[in-house]
Amino acid sequence: MNNIRSKFDQLVKEIKGNTKIETVHLKWKPATPVEKNVAGIAFYKKIIKSTFGETMPEDFIYGSEVCNNTHLCWRGEYNGETFWGETFLPSVTDLYAELPGGIQIEQYHEIEPKPDLKKLSRIDYHREIGDIHGTYYDRTNGNMLFQYKWDMYKLNLSYQEYLDKLCEMRGIALWPFFFTETKPEYPDQALLDKTKVALNYFFSNE
């Protein structure tokens, strides 16, 4: 079994069995394992090449088993405040889709040169919470970028590391800020620290 598949299996198990949080949405139907989907992967590669003139990144192949329109969303109360966690991982066939309204960015942080927005694939975002919180993969260089509100930040993570950390952080809102090159004015460090404390509370074994 793919290591990332086993991590997602564990994540789903933790969310479903956790009495400290409420499961708002859970769709988990892994795709065919890569090693058993040779023909399917070859088909995807052919379509991407013929349609977009690009070679499909190996990262997309690596993540294809767990990135199958997977949707996990939860919320919990801690110290009188509500905390949310969410991830929506589009399938490989949707990673090249043009987003309605495009990608709207007002400020880039530590990202030079600015990316070609047409070469960005949105690999993770929030559908339920309603905030502007999305992660992008730059198909020209493999860089990982995080959008919060109208700002975009560079992540100090590879694609595969991102999936690992997503499981480790249980998708709690704002978690990518722990791995950005630049720290935002908002959310400030106090809120990020509070988020980490809440995460430990929700998913501790105590």
Side-chain angles (χ1 to χ4, degrees):
M1 180 185 295
N2 187 331
N3 184 46
I4 194 60
R5 161 68 187 278
S6 65
K7 290 182 178 181
F8 268 81
D9 281 337
Q10 180 61 32
L11 173 61
V12 171
K13 181 179 178 181
E14 286 184 351
I15 290 175
K16 290 173 66 175
N18 195 325
T19 59
K20 296 178 182 178
I21 61 175
E22 172 191 356
T23 301
V24 178
H25 198 100
L26 199 160
K27 178 183 179 293
W28 171 233
K29 187 178 180 181
T32 305
V34 173
E35 63 273 14
K36 296 181 180 180
N37 194 28
V38 176
I41 295 298
F43 175 75
Y44 289 151
K45 287 182 174 181
K46 182 178 180 180
I47 291 297
I48 296 304
K49 189 68 173 179
S50 62
T51 305
F52 300 98
E54 297 182 27
T55 299
M56 188 167 73
E58 289 297 316
D59 284 327
F60 289 178
I61 298 172
Y62 170 85
S64 62
E65 187 175 352
V66 297
C67 301
N68 189 36
N69 294 324
T70 296
H71 189 191
L72 310 176
C73 183
W74 58 267
R75 66 184 170 208
E77 300 290 329
Y78 177 68
N79 276 355
E81 297 185 52
T82 300
F83 291 83
W84 289 77
E86 183 172 23
T87 181
F88 184 87
L89 304 174
S91 65
V92 171
T93 54
D94 292 329
L95 292 177
Y96 290 80
E98 185 174 341
L99 303 182
I103 304 172
Q104 305 297 325
I105 304 296
E106 294 182 356
Q107 187 171 358
Y108 294 86
H109 299 270
E110 301 296 327
I111 304 174
E112 288 292 343
K114 293 180 181 178
D116 179 350
L117 299 183
K118 294 181 179 180
K119 296 293 185 178
L120 298 185
S121 290
R122 186 170 64 173
I123 65 164
D124 185 15
Y125 66 103
H126 290 174
R127 298 186 72 177
E128 186 76 29
I129 297 177
D131 57 353
I132 301 174
H133 188 292
T135 303
Y136 295 83
Y137 181 97
D138 189 334
R139 300 193 304 273
T140 67
N141 54 26
N143 285 344
M144 298 289 292
L145 307 173
F146 175 59
Q147 179 186 8
Y148 183 69
K149 305 302 184 184
W150 311 114
D151 289 18
M152 183 166 276
Y153 302 81
K154 185 177 180 181
L155 284 169
N156 292 319
L157 296 171
S158 68
Y159 175 86
Q160 296 186 23
E161 289 170 339
Y162 180 86
L163 294 180
D164 285 340
K165 292 299 181 182
L166 169 61
C167 293
E168 182 181 319
M169 304 299 290
R170 280 78 169 191
I172 195 166
L174 305 179
W175 77 264
F177 276 124
F178 293 113
F179 305 97
T180 55
E181 294 263 347
T182 306
K183 299 307 176 188
E185 292 184 10
Y186 181 85
D188 60 16
Q189 191 59 48
L191 178 54
L192 294 178
D193 291 343
K194 189 186 300 183
T195 297
K196 186 170 287 188
V197 171
L199 178 67
N200 291 335
Y201 165 74
F202 293 133
F203 292 93
S204 69
N205 295 320
E206 299 178 2

